[in-house]
Amino acid sequence: MIGSLMMCVGTLLLLVGMLAGIAMGIQQDFTLAPAHAHLNLIGGVLLFVFGLYYRLMPAAGSTGLAKLQGTLHIVGAIVFPAGIALVVLKGTSFIAAPIAGSLIVITAMALFAVIVFRSARAKF
């Protein structure tokens, strides 16, 4: 089920993000703070929330659209903060990576909105 996968990946990404935050704190170098924040929020928190929704609404989570949404969000949740880190560390010649990641994430969010509204409409 996509909900369980999202919760597991979200937990893993949040753990990685927290470890990165601790490493930044130890080194007193917060250069990658934007990547760290996006990894925690988009990768950890949002994935886990999506997973919870699909676990609470199993009919919504069993659709092909939910599987597409979950897959897109997992990919985007990795590409987006990694792209931010590339731009911060290597320069704007890598700007395509965070742009692509953000577009993937917003597409996944739009799909999630469709899924939620469809599920809510089915309950009325």
Side-chain angles (χ1 to χ4, degrees), residues 65-83:
L65 193 59
K67 291 177 179 76
L68 175 62
Q69 185 269 329
T71 301
L72 282 175
H73 196 88
I74 289 169
V75 170
I78 294 168
V79 172
F80 188 25

Side-chain angles (χ1 to χ4, degrees), residues 17-29:
M18 292 174 78
L19 289 171
I22 290 169
M24 285 189 298
I26 290 169
Q27 296 173 354
Q28 290 296 293
D29 180 0

Side-chain angles (χ1 to χ4, degrees), residues 12-79:
L12 180 63
L13 291 179
L14 190 55
L15 180 61
V16 169
M18 292 174 78
L19 289 171
I22 290 169
M24 285 189 298
I26 290 169
Q27 296 173 354
Q28 290 296 293
D29 180 0
F30 301 98
T31 304
L32 293 177
H36 155 75
H38 282 83
L39 182 62
N40 284 348
L41 181 59
I42 294 171
V45 176
L46 273 180
L47 271 174
F48 200 86
V49 169
F50 294 155
L52 283 175
Y53 180 81
Y54 290 139
R55 294 291 301 271
L56 290 171
M57 305 289 284
S62 65
T63 66
L65 193 59
K67 291 177 179 76
L68 175 62
Q69 185 269 329
T71 301
L72 282 175
H73 196 88
I74 289 169
V75 170
I78 294 168
V79 172

